[in-house]
Amino acid sequence: MFHVVTVLTSLRNWGILPPMSPRPGKDAHPIQLLDLTRQELDELLARWGEPRYRAGQLWRWLYRELAADFAALSNLPQPLRARLAAETSCRPLEWVEDLVSRDRRTRKALFRLADGETVETVLMLYEQRQTVCISTQVGCAIGCPFCATGWSGFVRNLTPGEIVAQALYYARRLREEETREKAAGQGVPSPSSLVSRHPPLTNVVVMGMGEPLANYEATWQALEALNDAQGFALGARHMTLSTAGLVPGIERMSQEKLQVGLAVSLHAPTDRLRNRLVPLNRRYPLAELMAACHRYVERSGRRVTFEYALLQGINDSDQQAEQLAGLLHRLLCHVNLIPVNPVQGSPYQPSSRPRAQSFLRVLQQTGIAATVRLRRGLDIEAGCGQLRQRQAKGDDNGQHPDDR
Ligand code: SAH
Ligand code: SF4
């Protein structure tokens, strides 16, 4: 018995099992529509005695028309709209705050959940792409020492609806902005000029707060909902999931029909260093992780992206670049080198530009595809979990970053 309790507790602590407390938000609104799969929505409306096609109409309203309230659902009969409004909700997130970077190309939203917890979502606008970065947990159990989310510990898993609603929020915002721009007669094409197409976002990356593979079911359900052809219709090739290296999750992902891109947060070329920087490595060391990555490539035919945060004097020497090249030998992959985003109170500093370039050169000389990626939105602390950390400590001076 003792063993069972210990194992369950440690699985919960790692975020592999949900916490003991009941799922929040359920009391206020017994049915969260965005928590339902397409099939569950069919079943709900069948129970309510509605004709079969109604569920399809409602799904379309939620995922294609991006309706944010029931009043907008003009082709549904009034009694059904009233029942939906009385018994269900389609808004699991309450918007709290938006931050916009000085160049206006990176935005970050903070949302409050029904139980008062908060999560962040980031939008990055490029010339031809609109990428939203979504969170899957409140906090994270893995505790990487350079990560603001890791510092706050694990609180709870997000529900599928709380995950999917983050992407829908920015899709809706982009579409509204384009409609406003058009109405105002602005002929200048904006970076978001693709939004008249559906979906208004071109990419979803699961790289926000939390370890997505430790909340596998909810994350996958959210990605499947976004992929559904009658709804949001975002292709799997436009989705990427980042993991700290939860090997069973990678194995499971490799078997899925939905071939979502895999990014692995490597950050160190040896077990000794990775045990420190990504503590999950003690459970799933590099040999096991690399074997799982090879299997993913074999089964999916897709390359793996490795994230490597460059930490000055810790993991950024030429010798470590050679070790990394050795580790990735013969694997179809790409390495993203990211000078670490300094987190308040953390001793880790980003590598200098010349150091990053030298590290990059070593990788490229050994034939490894690699790039140095500059972190976007540094002025709005667009790194994982930083806004939430600042809010929790109450040191937000309430100013828009552009005004500082
Ligand atoms: N838990 C998952 C996904 C969320 S974190 C994972 O770790 O992969 C998304 C990415 O941001 C990861 O590669 C993570 O290591 C990186 N990251 C976290 N804090 C960072 C920081 N301060 N600077 C640079 N990258 C950071
Ligand atoms: Fe968790 Fe990822 Fe942050 Fe590590 S980097 S603490 S795994 S969110």
Side-chain angles (χ1 to χ4, degrees):
M1 183 59 194
F2 172 77
H3 277 323
V4 172
V5 172
T6 314
V7 168
L8 286 179
T9 308
S10 61
L11 287 176
R12 283 204 172 91
N13 289 344
W14 284 103
I16 292 164
L17 281 182
M20 295 284 280
S21 54
R23 286 216 309 202
K26 296 287 158 187
D27 297 337
H29 290 292
I31 304 168
Q32 271 293 353
L33 292 181
L34 296 179
D35 275 342
L36 305 182
T37 60
R38 177 58 213 270
Q39 196 187 334
E40 287 166 343
L41 191 68
D42 284 352
E43 288 162 7
L44 174 74
L45 291 202
R47 274 203 306 280
W48 285 8
E50 295 290 337
R52 276 185 74 88
Y53 62 88
R54 287 276 182 247
Q57 284 178 315
L58 183 52
W59 184 264
R60 215 183 139 83
W61 273 113
L62 295 172
Y63 291 98
R64 188 162 284 252
E65 308 302 332
L66 308 172
D69 58 65
F70 298 119
L73 317 190
S74 54
N75 64 348
L76 298 190
Q78 173 53 29
L80 175 58
R81 274 191 273 164
R83 184 164 188 189
L84 286 168
E87 297 182 31
T88 74
S89 164
C90 61
R91 299 185 88 149
L93 308 175
E94 183 198 335
W95 173 84
V96 179
E97 182 180 0
D98 254 337
L99 294 180
V100 181
S101 65
R102 282 187 194 88
D103 66 5
R104 309 201 74 78
R105 287 175 167 262
T106 307
R107 305 191 204 171
K108 173 144 105 167
L110 183 76
F111 297 105
R112 184 167 296 113
L113 311 173
D115 57 352
E117 294 296 342
T118 50
V119 282
E120 300 173 3
T121 308
V122 176
L123 173 75
M124 290 159 283
L125 297 173
Y126 304 87
E127 276 313 311
Q128 299 295 324
R129 275 184 296 140
Q130 301 86 39
T131 300
V132 74
C133 173
I134 59 178
S135 297
T136 52
Q137 297 182 317
V138 180
C140 180
I142 290 169
C144 307
F146 53 86
C147 169
T149 305
W151 283 28
S152 57
F154 176 67
V155 180
R156 72 166 171 91
N157 281 331
L158 296 189
T159 65
E162 288 165 342
I163 299 171
V164 94
Q166 299 170 55
L168 298 183
Y169 168 82
Y170 270 125
R172 193 178 300 126
R173 286 291 300 268
L174 289 177
R175 188 179 282 173
E176 285 164 2
E177 284 165 22
E178 192 194 43
T179 310
R180 258 202 314 274
E181 277 171 27
K182 275 192 180 147
Q186 291 173 4
V188 189
S190 69
S192 53
S193 60
L194 289 177
V195 299
S196 48
R197 290 214 321 248
H198 189 83
L201 300 169
T202 58
N203 296 78
V204 168
V205 295
V206 190
M207 293 189 182
M209 296 165 54
E211 169 49 48
L213 295 183
N215 184 15
Y216 194 98
E217 305 285 348
T219 300
W220 215 263
Q221 186 181 319
L223 294 178
E224 279 178 342
L226 291 175
N227 176 250
D228 185 273
Q230 282 154 21
F232 200 73
L234 184 71
R237 303 236 145 222
H238 300 272
M239 302 176 181
T240 304
L241 178 151
S242 174
T243 176
L246 209 51
V247 167
I250 297 174
E251 298 288 2
R252 197 167 160 191
M253 196 178 153
S254 311
Q255 318 269 359
E256 296 280 357
K257 207 165 95 219
L258 197 67
Q259 293 277 304
V260 171
L262 172 67
V264 174
S265 300
L266 205 53
H267 306 319
T270 61
D271 279 322
R272 199 181 145 87
L273 182 58
R274 197 164 189 270
N275 284 346
R276 215 170 95 206
L277 296 180
V278 186
L280 184 65
N281 196 72
R282 295 179 206 146
R283 181 92 175 271
Y284 301 108
L286 282 170
E288 280 181 46
L289 177 58
M290 286 303 134
C293 290
H294 278 279
R295 282 191 292 272
Y296 170 85
V297 172
E298 272 160 34
R299 289 186 195 138
S300 70
R302 296 189 69 168
R303 70 179 187 183
V304 180
T305 300
F306 289 102
E307 309 279 319
Y308 195 100
L310 288 166
L311 314 171
Q312 189 180 61
I314 306 282
N315 66 355
D316 64 350
S317 70
D318 284 354
Q319 194 204 352
Q320 284 162 320
E322 279 161 22
Q323 288 172 326
L324 181 60
L327 191 68
L328 304 182
H329 186 58
R330 290 178 183 279
L331 180 61
L332 183 63
C333 69
H334 183 96
V335 179
N336 269 335
L337 300 170
I338 315 146
V340 72
N341 206 1
V343 169
Q344 222 180 32
S346 139
Y348 297 104
Q349 290 302 315
S351 308
S352 68
R353 237 185 131 97
R355 182 86 301 276
Q357 288 305 325
S358 176
F359 197 96
L360 176 71
R361 247 190 330 271
V362 174
L363 289 183
Q364 288 176 336
Q365 277 162 3
T366 49
I368 307 268
T371 38
V372 177
R373 208 179 59 184
L374 286 179
R375 277 250 155 203
R376 296 193 45 155
L378 274 177
D379 56 331
I380 58 165
E381 298 174 325
C384 181
Q386 288 181 294
L387 174 62
R388 182 172 173 272
Q389 184 194 41
R390 188 157 55 83
Q391 278 251 335
K393 284 165 68 186
D395 58 354
D396 185 2
N397 61 13
Q399 268 184 310
H400 190 283
D402 282 357
D403 301 334
R404 286 182 195 150

